[in-house]
Amino acid sequence: MPAYRPEEIEKKWQAHWKTHKTFEVSNSSDKPKYYVLDMFPYPSGAGLHVGHPLGYIASDIVSRFKRLQGFNVLHPMGFDSFGLPAEQYAIQTGQHPEKTTRENIQRYIEQLSSLGFSYDWSREIRTSDARYYKWTQWIFLKLFNSWYNLETNRAESIRTLQDIFGEKGSAGVRAAGDTDERHDFTAGQWQMMTEKQRIDAVHPYRLAYQSDTYVNWCAVLGTVLSNDEVKDGLSERGGYPVERRLMPQWNLRITAYADRLLQGLDTIDWPEPVKEMQRNWIGRSVGAEVTFPLQNAPQQGIKVYTTRVDTIYGATFMVLAPEHELAAQLTTPEQKEAVDAYVLASKRRSERDRMADTKTVSGVFTGSYALNPVSGEPVPVWLADYVLAGYGTGAVMAVPSGDQRDYLFAKHFDLPIVAVTDAQQNLDQQADPTKEGHYINSELINGLAYKEATDKLIAWLEEHNLGKGKVNFRLRDAIFGRQRYWGEPLPIYYKEGLAYGVAEADLPIVLPEIDEYKPTETGEPPLGRAQDWKYRGKFDFELSTMPGWAGSSWYYLRYMDPHNDERFVGEEAEQYWQTVDLYMGGAEHATGHLLYSRFWYLFLKDLGLVSGNEPFQKLINQGMILGRSNFVYYLNLAWGTVSDEGVSDLQIPSIFISKDISERMSSGTFSLRDKEIVNDTIDLIFEKLKSQYTDRTIYRPETEFHTIPIHVDVTLVENDVINVERLKAWRPDFANATFICEPDGSFVCNWEVEKMSKSKHNVVNPDDLISRYGADALRLYEMFLGPLEQFKPWNTSGMSGVSSFLKKLWRLFHPEDGKLAVTDEAATPAELKALHKAIKKAQEDIERFSFNTSVSTFMIAVNELTALNCHKRAILEPLTVIISPYAPHLAEELWAELGHEPGSITNAQFPVFEEKYLEEASIDYPISFNGKMRGKMTFAAAAVAADIEKEVLASEIFEKFSEGKAAKKVIVVPGRMVNVVV
């Protein structure tokens, strides 16, 4: 038998699994179910790097382990295949995004398959497949045709709302949403309404509704961007200008579910930081909504929401978001120029930037005043971008004595700061938000404490119709539209200017073919380019598409029953699989995908379409694998010339300096010899330039050197020494470079651990490592790097260690890489002990998701069995099973060689740990005299202290080290040691 050859073994078993459909799973079984899910990837053109499979390997280990424990395991994979990158590529090249996406997916499937993952590929889904997004559109229609009844605390069909209107009118209807947008009418008036009037009256109650919303608009990309896609006022992709713009947008009323989303967090096994992020994002607060009448128009007012109504007497000014609907009305002619300039500047900053910038103080006075509703005092109205139009009412009552941001604003613009309690301190230095003490300067509540004062103020405001107590949420309704092509078409058409949902029988609404993938010349979304694209041939379709998170909000349900053409998931399949038992993915999705998925699931629960309470029972966030970047030092020289052209057209060869020389240069320990070498190099280049450019005078640079680090491709580097010839061929600007090397002729790079990224040239392709070491070695190494949840630096040189381990495991079956030499001899106690230690630890580690320590356990076990020269079936067979989740290809090969049916290790039984094999028959006791260890003696494990003492006193050790003295005392620590005091 030849030596262990992973390249042959792994391809063999991957083909076997595919041919025999080893991992396909049924929707019914006598076995208990277990659903393991990975966050499905977006298929980019770059393919996978070694950081991507980390979570996939971990989830695959759990899936294989659960099968060995007798579970019916669902472990699917698919692709989140709608997205802006493919569309941008289409705009640049004219190539349809579907073609690019299809090619990228094929590349991903090849890479994922090469790692030996036990996916049920028969259940693969792609969110851009019309057979899939038919059901995404169907769920949207359900949202469009539902409202949230606060009386029943669930979503209901819009028909039940219409029935209430027909019977009672709008009075008394308690529905989630903004009451200010709704009309009041009687049952009789409802009966008299036209179809158009009824639709218009119902629209503000829908869970999917259209309204004017402030969005991040990128004119160059021609689309709305999420906050995550905007940084410093520019689009993350392309760096194009982004501005805040009020546009009609589709929204989903996630705010209706805010309380339930909060409560559900207490029922799921998720990392506490993720749950806390969601709690903060939802942001439940108890306070009051208060109206500040306008001084010049008391019938109008500015509504604010505050959690500290007790401080209202300290509200010395008001701050509105620059986008506030009253901003223009409140701006006086004298302030118009300043206000317009400020509003324009604010449009160029994303909400995230505005919230994050706590240091900059900016604002502009509108010129108008409101009235403090309890004191009647006029308060100036300002605009400032630290207030957001979409949060709360878009206006705040500013209390500088109690809020630090208000305090800084007041100090900057010289506005009054009024103390409101006798416990506030150091108001000349900072705000003091204390709730302690008693109120002062607050006529209605002077002398009261916090709770009493708050209750009294709310009662007074409600009595005078100037406010009310209210529970508020930071969470805002989710914008559900993008002005782009490559996304799910919204199943909406327009008749007489009103939005209607298409008939469910007409789904899917398929993306039409268009000539270009950018907005029309008149500014419409790309779908505006579609020719004759109308609903039933006569009604205009909605031209926006759904956001990227639409398809990912329910994909875990479709995996349960992916080929069902009659239902988004069959009832039996859903009731069998219920919810995801283990979800593996990145923490960066905490307030996006994970929150939206929970929202959609709760909605489907209200409609009686799913049977669980939460979609994902346990969540694990895998850490990031960091790249080990390499960089070379470029010598930055200031060449000079006398001519009209300057130096920009000079073809000056770059000079790069090896690491040690560069470090001496920067640390001030640059030796004379170093300086001579660098100067000689510069002189050679100087002479060449003079002979090359005879039409101008060239000046040699000064000898004040400094270097600039430049990232280079890590594949050109081994042990931090770069292959200079390969580097020259890597990039054209390196081709004619000069390299100043170390005395031994090597060129040494520096290194740094940072995020793995193409821009840093530190991406490691798993294909290369699989080709060199094998997929099993890569799987083991990624787990061995450290705890799953932690960030870990990558170092390819570590791969050789796990590769050696696998070869050592192979040799337990094939000594000296010879033929199979497994025997049926009975196992010895030492061999059984080594095995059962590994069984116990492997099971415990997988159950607590501590995969790195399992790999160490396997290495120890193989080393111990190698030392024992063990080649026995009774040991090696169960050892193969416990290692199989980690190194499935090698385990399959060894299992078949042991005489089992090929591929059957998947359905083997995980070995049962037996404590008895770890019990020691005897124990070696260190024997000390007056605290100094002098030797060892072996006693039966069951020996009692009296017997041990007797044998020690009669032993040769005692005779030798007691120096003829009698023992004063013998201390026996059972199972540990003996100390004789003489």
Side-chain angles (χ1 to χ4, degrees), residues 672-721:
L672 288 174
R673 178 60 182 150
D674 291 334
K675 196 168 289 188
E676 285 177 8
I677 293 171
V678 174
N679 276 318
D680 288 348
T681 304
I682 295 172
D683 285 341
L684 285 173
I685 292 173
F686 179 50
E687 294 302 322
K688 287 181 182 178
L689 290 173
K690 284 199 299 183
S691 62
Q692 185 177 353
Y693 298 99
T694 55
D695 58 335
R696 70 185 79 179
T697 301
I698 296 174
Y699 294 100
R700 187 188 186 283
E702 297 294 328
T703 54
E704 289 295 322
F705 307 128
H706 74 276
T707 58
I708 300 172
I710 297 176
H711 282 89
V712 293
D713 194 326
V714 293
T715 62
L716 307 176
V717 182
E718 188 164 348
N719 295 324
D720 296 327
V721 175

Side-chain angles (χ1 to χ4, degrees), residues 904-971:
S904 64
I905 197 169
T906 299
N907 299 312
Q909 182 178 349
F910 197 85
V912 177
F913 164 67
E914 296 187 54
E915 183 74 41
K916 65 182 181 181
Y917 294 120
L918 268 56
E919 295 174 357
E920 301 285 355
S922 60
I923 300 172
D924 290 335
Y925 278 76
I927 310 300
S928 298
F929 288 80
N930 294 337
K932 292 184 179 180
M933 209 262 286
R934 299 299 188 181
K936 290 184 178 181
M937 293 179 67
T938 302
F939 298 96
V944 297
D947 293 338
I948 293 172
E949 178 180 339
K950 189 175 180 181
E951 286 192 44
V952 169
L953 294 176
S955 68
E956 291 182 4
I957 292 179
F958 180 77
E959 184 178 344
K960 180 177 180 181
F961 292 102
S962 64
E963 299 177 353
K965 299 176 183 177
K968 293 181 180 178
K969 188 176 184 181
V970 178
I971 302 167

Side-chain angles (χ1 to χ4, degrees), residues 246-257:
L246 191 65
M247 296 178 64
Q249 285 291 317
W250 283 95
N251 298 268
L252 297 188
R253 209 179 296 280
I254 188 175
T255 50
Y257 288 84

Side-chain angles (χ1 to χ4, degrees), residues 739-967:
F739 294 84
I740 300 177
C741 299
E742 305 293 342
D744 63 359
S746 64
F747 191 89
V748 181
C749 302
N750 211 335
W751 63 273
E752 188 174 302
V753 173
E754 51 192 347
K755 181 179 179 181
M756 202 170 274
S757 163
K758 285 191 298 180
S759 65
K760 301 181 189 302
H761 305 292
N762 63 353
V763 170
V764 179
N765 190 329
D767 300 355
D768 298 336
L769 298 179
I770 291 171
S771 175
R772 184 173 177 183
Y773 298 102
D776 285 341
L778 179 58
R779 290 169 62 110
L780 282 164
Y781 183 57
E782 293 219 8
M783 294 298 97
F784 187 59
L785 282 172
L788 181 64
E789 296 89 347
Q790 293 183 9
F791 282 32
K792 299 167 280 287
W794 179 266
N795 189 349
T796 298
S797 60
M799 286 286 296
S800 59
V802 290
S803 178
S804 298
F805 158 71
L806 291 172
K807 291 173 183 175
K808 188 174 284 190
L809 172 62
W810 174 264
R811 292 186 190 117
L812 287 176
F813 296 76
H814 301 274
E816 299 181 2
D817 292 332
K819 64 181 181 180
L820 185 70
V822 176
T823 72
D824 291 322
E825 294 177 62
T828 66
E831 292 166 340
L832 287 166
K833 180 180 178 182
L835 171 67
H836 281 268
K837 281 195 301 183
I839 293 171
K840 181 176 188 288
K841 191 74 165 63
Q843 180 166 341
E844 290 174 349
D845 285 351
I846 294 180
E847 287 175 342
R848 66 172 183 260
F849 310 103
S850 179
F851 306 104
N852 59 311
T853 49
S854 279
V855 179
S856 300
T857 296
F858 299 148
M859 291 177 173
I860 292 168
V862 168
N863 284 339
E864 289 177 346
L865 294 173
T866 300
L868 292 167
N869 198 27
C870 175
H871 308 291
K872 298 170 183 174
R873 178 184 296 275
I875 301 298
L876 299 186
E877 196 166 85
L879 180 68
T880 303
V881 175
I882 67 171
I883 288 178
S884 65
Y886 292 80
H889 307 89
L890 178 54
E892 288 277 23
E893 182 73 13
L894 297 175
W895 190 250
E897 286 190 343
L898 288 168
H900 297 283
E901 183 181 346
S904 64
I905 197 169
T906 299
N907 299 312
Q909 182 178 349
F910 197 85
V912 177
F913 164 67
E914 296 187 54
E915 183 74 41
K916 65 182 181 181
Y917 294 120
L918 268 56
E919 295 174 357
E920 301 285 355
S922 60
I923 300 172
D924 290 335
Y925 278 76
I927 310 300
S928 298
F929 288 80
N930 294 337
K932 292 184 179 180
M933 209 262 286
R934 299 299 188 181
K936 290 184 178 181
M937 293 179 67
T938 302
F939 298 96
V944 297
D947 293 338
I948 293 172
E949 178 180 339
K950 189 175 180 181
E951 286 192 44
V952 169
L953 294 176
S955 68
E956 291 182 4
I957 292 179
F958 180 77
E959 184 178 344
K960 180 177 180 181
F961 292 102
S962 64
E963 299 177 353
K965 299 176 183 177

Side-chain angles (χ1 to χ4, degrees), residues 50-316:
V50 292
H52 292 129
L54 180 68
Y56 302 158
I57 296 170
S59 66
D60 194 60
I61 290 169
V62 175
S63 299
R64 290 176 177 274
F65 171 68
K66 286 294 182 180
R67 291 189 189 96
L68 296 173
Q69 284 193 315
F71 285 83
N72 186 35
V73 178
L74 174 57
H75 189 208
M77 178 51 75
F79 300 93
D80 193 7
S81 48
F82 274 131
L84 192 58
E87 183 158 356
Q88 284 305 112
Y89 187 73
I91 292 170
Q92 294 164 10
T93 64
Q95 180 172 282
H96 198 291
E98 192 278 333
K99 181 177 185 296
T100 309
T101 302
R102 186 177 65 251
E103 292 171 352
N104 293 346
I105 287 175
Q106 187 55 41
R107 170 82 176 120
Y108 266 61
I109 290 175
E110 290 171 1
Q111 288 189 295
L112 291 168
S113 298
S114 73
L115 281 156
F117 294 136
S118 59
Y119 293 130
D120 181 352
W121 283 108
S122 72
R123 295 173 182 259
E124 180 204 341
I125 58 173
R126 305 178 182 187
T127 58
S128 57
D129 185 335
R131 292 169 298 179
Y132 177 84
Y133 69 70
K134 165 187 176 178
W135 297 107
T136 310
Q137 293 173 334
W138 180 84
I139 295 172
F140 176 83
L141 285 178
K142 294 296 182 186
L143 287 157
F144 179 73
N145 290 316
S146 297
W147 67 295
Y148 198 91
N149 189 341
L150 293 175
E151 293 288 349
T152 60
N153 199 30
R154 66 183 182 89
E156 296 180 4
S157 168
I158 212 76
R159 289 192 300 273
T160 66
L161 179 66
Q162 292 169 327
D163 290 343
I164 294 171
F165 287 163
E167 186 178 334
K168 303 177 182 177
S170 62
V173 172
R174 294 184 63 237
D178 190 348
T179 56
D180 290 345
E181 297 178 0
R182 296 166 181 167
H183 313 300
D184 293 326
F185 49 83
T186 65
Q189 289 171 322
W190 170 261
Q191 300 293 349
M192 298 294 292
M193 286 183 186
T194 64
E195 178 191 11
K196 184 174 182 179
Q197 288 171 327
R198 287 187 177 187
I199 289 174
D200 190 50
V202 165
H203 186 77
Y205 292 84
R206 297 182 186 273
L207 290 182
Y209 65 95
Q210 200 174 30
S211 70
D212 287 341
T213 307
Y214 279 99
V215 295
N216 300 315
W217 172 251
C218 180
V220 177
L221 295 178
T223 188
V224 169
L225 301 177
S226 69
N227 284 330
D228 291 336
E229 297 170 313
V230 181
K231 184 168 180 59
D232 298 327
L234 302 174
S235 64
E236 189 176 50
R237 181 167 294 275
Y240 303 118
V242 176
E243 68 173 56
R244 299 287 293 166
R245 180 182 290 186
L246 191 65
M247 296 178 64
Q249 285 291 317
W250 283 95
N251 298 268
L252 297 188
R253 209 179 296 280
I254 188 175
T255 50
Y257 288 84
D259 252 331
R260 289 168 64 184
L261 288 168
L262 270 178
Q263 293 163 11
L265 292 172
D266 296 330
T267 69
I268 49 181
D269 183 8
W270 285 20
E272 194 55 39
V274 173
K275 294 202 284 188
E276 194 59 26
M277 286 172 71
Q278 289 206 359
R279 290 188 185 103
N280 292 336
W281 192 260
I282 295 167
R284 187 180 192 275
S285 59
V286 179
E289 188 174 79
V290 184
T291 300
F292 281 64
L294 299 183
Q295 186 180 46
N296 295 328
Q299 70 281 7
Q300 282 186 281
I302 301 171
K303 282 187 178 180
V304 302
Y305 174 78
T306 177
T307 58
R308 294 295 305 274
V309 70
D310 58 299
T311 65
I312 194 167
Y313 282 94
T316 56

